């Protein structure tokens, strides 16, 4: 597609359930980021993938959070045993490799944990 | 990582020029300065990027003083549709893409 695609756009789940969020980056973009944005707050960095390099996981808030990406394609963010504080918009962004490349964001997945 | 500081919020009126300043005292030699705009229920989108002096595009201008410890995003003659959150990002390389809290700009009629 022409832009970054995220699915689902909305996800409602019960506390304790696992959820999987998907991000399809722009074709050819080697860098991929996940961010979390709580209501009315800024973007919180979660994880960064660059090509086949080891991902930068320094932003993951707990071991319940994990993410995978195969090569330069789709990425999935998994949250295990969801808690109410996980409720937020999860944003994915991709970019070309390089220091000055702009980020292109998807519209996000609104996660609500009841 | 270069940390950024921006005002939390700003108010303006239609037709006015708005200047949003970002402080980044520990900016590194290789760091670029990038601004993003975010509307409600959308992901941020790129506005402008610069390294030093002044950069202008069809949307905004970016002023960077010689010491590069701050930068100012200038929006000419804002309209109601410019109401958004504006983020300043400083870094070099893709692993420096950490956003601050942003500045919430409200444009009033």
């Amino acid at each position: 597609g022409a832009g970054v695609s995220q699915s689902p756009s909305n996800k409602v789940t019960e506390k304790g359930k696992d959820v999987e969020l998907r991000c399809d980056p722009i074709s050819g973009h080697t860098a991929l980021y996940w961010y979390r944005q709580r209501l009315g707050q800024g973007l919180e960095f979660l994880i960064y993938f660059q090509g086949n390099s080891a991902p930068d996981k320094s932003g993951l808030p707990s071991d319940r959070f994990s993410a995978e990406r195969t090569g330069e394609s789709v990425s999935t963010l998994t949250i295990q045993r969801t808690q109410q504080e996980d409720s937020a918009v999860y944003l994915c962004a991709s970019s070309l490799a390089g220091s000055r490349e702009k980020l292109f964001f998807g519209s996000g997945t609104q996660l609500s944990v009841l | 990582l270069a940390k950024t500081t921006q005002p939390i919020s700003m108010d303006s009126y239609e037709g006015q020029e708005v200047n949003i300043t970002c402080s980044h005292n520990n900016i590194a030699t290789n760091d670029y300065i990038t601004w993003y705009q975010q509307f409600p229920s959308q992901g941020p989108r790129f506005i402008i990027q610069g390294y030093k002096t002044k950069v202008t595009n069809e949307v905004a201008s970016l002023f960077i003083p010689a010491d590069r410890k701050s930068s100012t995003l200038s929006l000419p003659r804002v309209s109601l549709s410019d109401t958004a959150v504006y983020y300043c990002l400083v870094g070099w390389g893709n692993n420096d893409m950490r956003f601050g809290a942003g500045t919430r700009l409200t444009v009033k009629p």
Side-chain angles (χ1 to χ4, degrees), chain A residues 31 33 35 37 40-43 45 48 50 56 58-59 91 95-103 105-107, chain B residues 30 32 34 36 38 41-46 49 87 89 91-102 104:
Chain A
Y33 303 76
Y35 295 88
Q37 187 169 36
Q41 298 188 21
L43 280 73
F45 168 81
Y48 157 66
Q50 171 57 56
D56 176 357
S58 60
L91 290 160
S95 76
L96 293 168
S99 60
R100 297 181 57 186
E101 298 301 334
K102 64 181 75 169
L103 300 183
F105 282 83
S107 296
Chain B
N30 292 334
Y32 281 81
T34 311
Y36 286 81
Q38 186 180 28
S41 303
Q42 295 184 25
R45 68 172 188 173
F46 173 91
Q49 183 183 73
Y87 295 95
L89 209 64
W92 185 92
N94 289 332
N95 60 338
D96 284 345
M97 296 301 183
R98 284 165 164 82
F99 287 72
R104 186 174 300 276

Side-chain angles (χ1 to χ4, degrees), chain B residues 17-78:
Chain B
E17 177 183 80
V18 171
N19 296 307
I20 305 174
T21 297
C22 178
S23 298
H24 28 81
N25 290 320
N26 60 339
I27 188 169
T29 302
N30 292 334
D31 285 345
Y32 281 81
I33 301 157
T34 311
W35 286 79
Y36 286 81
Q37 174 190 54
Q38 186 180 28
F39 296 114
S41 303
Q42 295 184 25
R45 68 172 188 173
F46 173 91
I47 300 177
I48 197 166
Q49 183 183 73
Y51 183 80
K52 62 180 179 180
T53 62
K54 176 184 175 181
V55 179
T56 299
N57 62 22
E58 66 278 5
V59 176
S61 294
L62 179 60
F63 298 91
I64 304 168
D67 65 6
R68 305 200 327 120
K69 293 184 183 299
S70 68
S71 59
T72 299
L73 175 72
S74 181
L75 304 173
R77 297 185 300 280
V78 294

